[in-house]
Amino acid sequence: GNIYRTTNAGTTWDSVGSGQNNWSLFQVKIVSASEIYAVGDPGFLYKSTDAGATWTGLPINVTGPAITFVWYSLDKAGSTLILSGDYGIVAKSTDGGITWTSNQTQYSTALLFDIQTLPGSNKVWAVGRPFASTTRQIFHSSDYGSNWVTYDIGITGDFFSVSMINQQTGYISGQNSKVYKTTNGGVN
C-alpha cells in the first residue's frame, strides 16, 4: 500500500501513504495536477485531490465470477472511471466512484493488467494474461466498456501495458520484451 512521490525528477522519493497497508497497489494514475488514483485493493479505489498528501478510499462493489477481485488499472474519461482486474472483469462508474457496474463476464483472459480510454471518444482498450491457451488478450470497446471485441495477434503471452495515441495508432508491451504497434485500431 505504499505510494512514493518525487518532486526532483527522481533524485529522491518521499512516502505519501495510501491509507491502507493490506494490499499491493498496481497503478497510480495521475489525472490532473491534484487528482490522483491508486488501484490494487479488491474493495477500494484510493483517490487524492491534493497531489497525494491525503487519500480517501472509494468502495468498489461489483459482482462477477469470483468473490474477490484485484484491480490492476484505472483510467478516467470525463466523469467516467473504468477499472480492469482479475478474471477479465471491467468495472465502470459514471458518478465519480460512488456506484459501480460491471460486465460480470469472464472474457478470454485471466487478468486485465492495463486499461486505457481515449479522450474525446467512447473507446477503451485493455490488455492482459490469456485464459488457458488463447491468444486473444487485446480487448477493445466502443461504448466505455459495456461491450467488447477481442483481437488475436497470434502469440500466447502476457501483455502488461497499452498506450493508444489516437483511435488508430497504439502500442502494447508484454513478456519477453514484446512490443507491438497497431495502425488500424487494434485489428492487426
Side-chain angles (χ1 to χ4, degrees):
N2 292 324
I3 299 174
Y4 293 87
R5 172 179 62 197
T6 184
T7 56
N8 56 11
T11 302
T12 60
W13 293 83
D14 300 313
S15 176
V16 293
S18 66
Q20 67 90 20
N21 57 13
N22 296 321
W23 292 92
S24 296
L25 295 173
F26 292 99
Q27 183 186 54
V28 173
K29 181 71 172 191
I30 299 170
V31 176
S32 71
S34 60
E35 185 179 6
I36 304 170
Y37 295 87
V39 297
D41 188 320
F44 289 92
L45 169 66
Y46 297 93
K47 179 181 180 181
S48 175
T49 56
D50 55 10
T54 60
W55 295 85
T56 303
L58 305 172
I60 306 168
N61 296 308
V62 298
T63 58
I67 296 170
T68 303
F69 307 111
V70 173
W71 302 104
Y72 293 101
S73 182
L74 167 133
D75 207 357
K76 183 177 181 189
S79 61
T80 300
L81 294 167
I82 191 162
L83 289 164
S84 65
D86 282 346
Y87 309 106
I89 298 297
V90 173
K92 179 171 61 173
S93 175
T94 57
D95 58 11
I98 296 169
T99 60
W100 294 88
T101 58
S102 171
N103 57 1
Q104 298 182 28
T105 304
Q106 182 174 340
Y107 291 108
S108 59
T109 187
L111 308 168
L112 285 175
F113 288 120
D114 195 19
I115 196 161
Q116 181 196 2
T117 60
L118 188 64
S121 77
N122 293 336
K123 296 186 182 283
V124 181
W125 283 268
V127 294
R129 171 176 291 160
F131 181 73
S133 62
T134 183
T135 55
R136 294 184 173 272
Q137 57 280 56
I138 302 169
F139 299 82
H140 175 256
S141 173
S142 295
D143 56 10
Y144 276 132
S146 295
N147 297 289
W148 293 87
V149 174
T150 59
Y151 294 118
D152 185 349
I153 62 169
I155 65 164
T156 300
D158 293 2
F159 286 98
F160 302 112
S161 181
V162 58
S163 182
M164 296 298 292
I165 57 176
N166 58 44
Q167 291 191 33
Q168 298 300 311
T169 304
Y171 299 85
I172 58 172
S173 63
Q175 72 184 57
N176 300 322
S177 302
K178 300 280 189 213
V179 177
Y180 289 85
K181 178 182 180 181
T182 184
T183 57
N184 60 4
V187 176
N188 300 96

